[in-house]
Amino acid sequence: MTAVGRLFHQAAERWPDREFVIFQGERRTFGGFAAWVNAIGTDLLERGVRPGQRLMIHVPNCLEALDRKSVV
């Protein structure tokens, strides 16, 4: 079984310029959203968060809530 996050990143590699989501009028491509997710993962690593550690997030209905797990 393949994790949803892995499927997303495979889609981003295959179709980086294809539209992934429109949320409240904001459009994101697979590649653009993947780059954003990777930047968040890199930032978490730099702050000392390690793979397997648990995080709690609190966000309203927004694009940030779409991806529960980044590359971390």
Side-chain angles (χ1 to χ4, degrees):
M1 182 181 298
T2 304
V4 173
R6 175 73 53 212
L7 290 173
F8 169 77
H9 286 287
Q10 289 172 353
E13 289 175 6
R14 186 171 181 183
W15 306 296
D17 298 324
R18 190 175 288 183
E19 197 167 79
F20 164 62
V21 67
I22 302 171
F23 185 80
Q24 296 181 346
E26 189 173 342
R27 296 172 183 266
R28 295 277 176 108
T29 62
F30 278 98
F33 191 72
W36 179 80
V37 167
N38 288 334
I40 296 296
T42 298
D43 183 60
L44 289 172
L45 285 170
E46 289 172 356
R47 292 171 184 262
V49 177
R50 295 293 168 241
Q53 288 184 313
R54 294 175 187 253
L55 295 175
M56 184 175 86
I57 61 169
H58 180 258
V59 292
N61 289 337
C62 58
L63 286 172
E64 290 83 354
L66 287 178
D67 192 22
R68 69 164 187 82
K69 184 176 180 183
S70 63
V71 179
V72 176

